[in-house]
Amino acid sequence: MKYVYGPLPSRRLGQSLGIDPIPFKTCNWNCVYCQLGRTVPLTNQRREYVPPEAILAELREALAAHAPGTIDWISFVGSGEPTLHSGLGQLIRAVKRLSDIPVAVITNGALLYDPQVREDLRAADAVMPTLAAGDARLYRAITRPWPELTFERIVDGLATFRQTYAGKLWVEVMLVKGLNDSEPALRDLAAVLRRIGPDAVHLTLPERPPAEPWVEPPDEQGLMRATAILGGLAELVHPATGSVDLAGCEDVVEAVVAVIKRHPLREVDVARALDRWTAGQVAAALETLAAGGQARLVMCYGERFWSYAGAHYATSSTSL
């Protein structure tokens, strides 16, 4: 499948079946912590990158391949910014007609100042935007956005969306050591979050290969400071446990690429996800991936990760 993948264990959504409505790294941010590497080049054009019919056909196939109760959420999340697909609202409504499974959209939230984008997302059961800074300077330093996507626009868009959105608004805060884990940075962020009024604030840490090699998670003191300052709505979201479900894939190479194109995997998790294939098949498939230019091994935080070969990490990242 090209556009539907998983289900994957999600730290916030249980077993999440992913829908990726845009080509790899089609994004209007170039975040320093992005697990899919640098955005080369940035784009802020909304258009129909993928025909909705192609996505829905794959979704029907994936739903038919999984027993009821094995998928907790259907999530629009993938290799870039899903709100750049101009037909996202149509897709969300079509998915809800196909299934009773709740629908989430994981987004950077940068386009929520646009009334059409807000209308598109109103149909989702949960919207999960990112906000990692409480001032314009830090916002630019972390996200390196398309020039028109100013800090004021993202905050105004989030606050306006909150006023009319009846679903769950869960804001993700990615904490990066030395950037947004200081007391002043966290107090500024807390003030902005109070203005927006989300249902929850999820604190997350960089756990996979970041775009920039100097990105690290905060130390214990930084984490304690964040939870104390960001208040009762904030909680640290721990890494998801469980295996990637590849039941709908017949080809092992296709199965691995479908996941790592959106979600780099630890080498041990790749082996666990492919346990229905023999060790020889798995070894041959991984060798084919590396030799064919579809994937590569990357060292990060002392662990080996399989990542998509098209990801642009900083040149000082360690590849194997």
Side-chain angles (χ1 to χ4, degrees), residues 32-315:
V32 298
Y33 56 75
C34 184
Q35 65 185 10
L36 297 177
R38 294 173 173 175
T39 305
V40 184
L42 282 175
T43 183
N44 197 42
Q45 182 183 13
R46 289 201 86 202
R47 64 182 179 87
E48 190 179 279
Y49 287 93
V50 178
E53 298 79 14
I55 293 173
L56 296 173
E58 286 195 2
L59 178 62
R60 293 185 188 96
E61 183 180 342
L63 291 173
H66 293 85
T70 58
I71 299 171
D72 298 311
W73 286 79
I74 297 172
S75 307
F76 284 88
V77 56
S79 55
E81 174 47 43
T83 60
L84 288 173
H85 194 295
S86 58
L88 183 60
Q90 170 192 347
L91 280 165
I92 294 170
R93 291 187 290 272
V95 170
K96 292 184 72 65
R97 288 193 295 269
L98 283 176
S99 172
D100 293 330
I101 300 171
V103 175
V105 179
I106 300 178
T107 170
N108 61 25
L111 292 179
L112 282 171
Y113 72 89
D114 183 336
Q116 183 57 58
V117 174
R118 293 198 298 269
E119 181 60 28
D120 287 347
L121 296 188
R122 279 167 58 90
D125 298 286
V127 174
M128 304 161 70
T130 297
L131 186 66
D135 68 80
R137 180 197 62 80
L138 196 52
Y139 162 75
R140 289 193 300 270
I142 294 173
T143 66
R144 302 182 296 196
W146 183 267
E148 295 176 7
L149 302 178
T150 64
F151 177 71
E152 292 75 18
R153 272 189 158 180
I154 185 174
V155 174
D156 287 347
L158 285 165
T160 302
F161 183 64
R162 170 73 291 179
Q163 294 170 11
T164 59
Y165 179 57
K168 297 178 174 65
L169 184 65
W170 297 335
V171 173
E172 174 180 331
V173 175
M174 177 68 79
L175 294 172
V176 179
K177 184 177 181 179
L179 275 183
N180 61 354
D181 62 342
S182 68
E183 181 173 344
L186 290 166
R187 292 202 180 281
D188 287 344
L189 181 57
V192 174
L193 289 169
R194 284 194 295 271
R195 175 185 167 191
I196 295 167
D199 296 297
V201 176
H202 296 151
L203 307 180
T204 60
L205 309 178
E207 298 161 350
R208 299 183 181 88
E212 307 303 330
W214 47 263
V215 168
E216 295 181 3
D219 56 24
E220 189 63 31
Q221 187 176 18
L223 287 177
M224 292 176 62
R225 186 163 52 240
T227 54
I229 292 174
L230 295 181
L233 285 179
E235 60 173 311
L236 179 62
V237 180
H238 296 283
T241 58
S243 298
V244 178
D245 185 348
L246 301 176
C249 299
E250 295 301 326
D251 182 276
V252 63
V253 173
E254 175 190 299
V256 175
V257 171
V259 175
I260 64 174
K261 203 171 183 179
R262 292 96 181 183
H263 188 95
L265 291 176
R266 292 174 177 84
E267 193 168 39
V268 293
D269 293 329
V270 173
R272 187 180 300 121
L274 301 177
D275 61 1
R276 71 187 180 98
W277 285 280
T278 68
Q281 287 176 311
V282 172
L286 295 180
E287 184 176 335
T288 299
L289 282 169
Q294 296 174 280
R296 59 173 168 159
L297 274 171
V298 178
M299 283 296 297
C300 177
Y301 308 136
E303 294 190 80
R304 292 160 63 96
F305 286 79
W306 277 94
S307 183
Y308 185 58
H312 294 276
Y313 297 106
T315 54

